């Protein structure tokens, strides 16, 4: 083998190794970019979950509470301007309705607050009684 052939062969091997090294560097850059994208997406997902936890979930919970009270209003009460139902009896009827229908029970304060804001007609608190509604038969 001629010494110039050895140099040419060595140069070709070096060029091949340089090309392999260049390919490895490009691959490493792609992997690094992919990893950064994953980190960015992970942070975005965490941010979305945090927003859901802080803002959206309480709103959904409030809607569920309101819906339960509204359904109780629709299903278990009859508008009667002369009727009076004591606060504790109304709340017990609400709890019973929720347990029977599989709805979430809210505490008494939340019930009274939301119930007081229902309209058509609005119940009126008066001396420990709700005025304006009576319970349907079988609701208690």
């Amino acid at each position: 083998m001629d010494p110039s052939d050895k140099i040419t062969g060595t140069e070709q091997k070096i060029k091949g190794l340089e090309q392999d090294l260049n390919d490895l560097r490009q691959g490493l850059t792609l992997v690094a970019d992919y990893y950064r994208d994953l980190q960015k997406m992970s942070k975005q997902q965490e941010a979305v979950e945090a927003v859901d936890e802080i803002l959206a979930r309480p709103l959904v919970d409030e809607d569920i509470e309101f819906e339960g009270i509204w359904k109780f209003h629709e299903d278990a009460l009859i508008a009667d301007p002369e009727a009076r139902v004591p606060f504790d009896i109304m709340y017990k009827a609400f709890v019973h309705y929720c347990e029977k229908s599989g709805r979430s029970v809210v505490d008494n304060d939340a019930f009274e607050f939301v119930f007081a804001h229902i309209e058509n007609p609005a119940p009126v608190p008066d001396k420990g009684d709700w005025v304006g509604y009576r319970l349907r038969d079988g609701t208690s």
Side-chain angles (χ1 to χ4, degrees):
M1 188 177 246
D2 188 14
S4 64
D5 288 341
K6 277 189 171 184
I7 293 174
T8 305
T10 304
E11 287 175 354
Q12 286 178 346
K13 285 183 183 179
I14 290 172
K15 284 183 182 179
L17 290 172
E18 286 175 344
Q19 182 62 40
D20 290 345
L21 182 59
N22 189 36
D23 290 346
L24 288 171
R25 285 182 180 143
Q26 288 179 350
L28 182 58
T29 300
L30 287 173
V31 169
D33 289 346
Y34 181 73
Y35 179 72
R36 273 192 295 277
D37 288 346
L38 283 176
Q39 278 185 316
K40 184 178 178 182
M41 288 173 54
S42 176
K43 288 179 183 175
Q44 288 174 341
Q45 181 64 30
E46 288 172 11
V48 167
E49 289 173 3
V51 166
D52 281 350
E53 194 65 33
I54 293 168
L55 299 175
R57 189 153 296 134
L59 293 175
V60 169
D61 291 345
E62 286 177 10
D63 286 348
I64 290 170
E65 289 176 3
F66 180 77
E67 182 183 325
I69 296 168
W70 182 254
K71 287 299 289 175
F72 168 73
H73 167 260
E74 287 181 342
D75 296 345
L77 301 178
I78 298 172
D80 181 349
E82 302 301 316
R84 299 178 76 87
V85 178
F87 288 170
D88 62 330
I89 301 296
M90 185 70 80
Y91 182 70
K92 286 177 187 175
F94 168 72
V95 170
H96 178 73
Y97 172 82
C98 289
E99 289 170 349
K100 196 168 90 175
S101 64
R103 296 191 178 277
S104 297
V105 176
V106 299
D107 65 41
N108 193 22
D109 291 338
F111 171 77
E112 288 182 0
F113 177 80
V114 174
F115 189 69
H117 291 88
I118 286 181
E119 298 176 354
N120 299 328
V124 178
D126 180 49
K127 300 177 187 168
D129 291 337
W130 290 108
V131 178
Y133 287 97
R134 62 182 167 84
L135 296 168
R136 289 187 190 276
D137 293 336
T139 307
S140 55

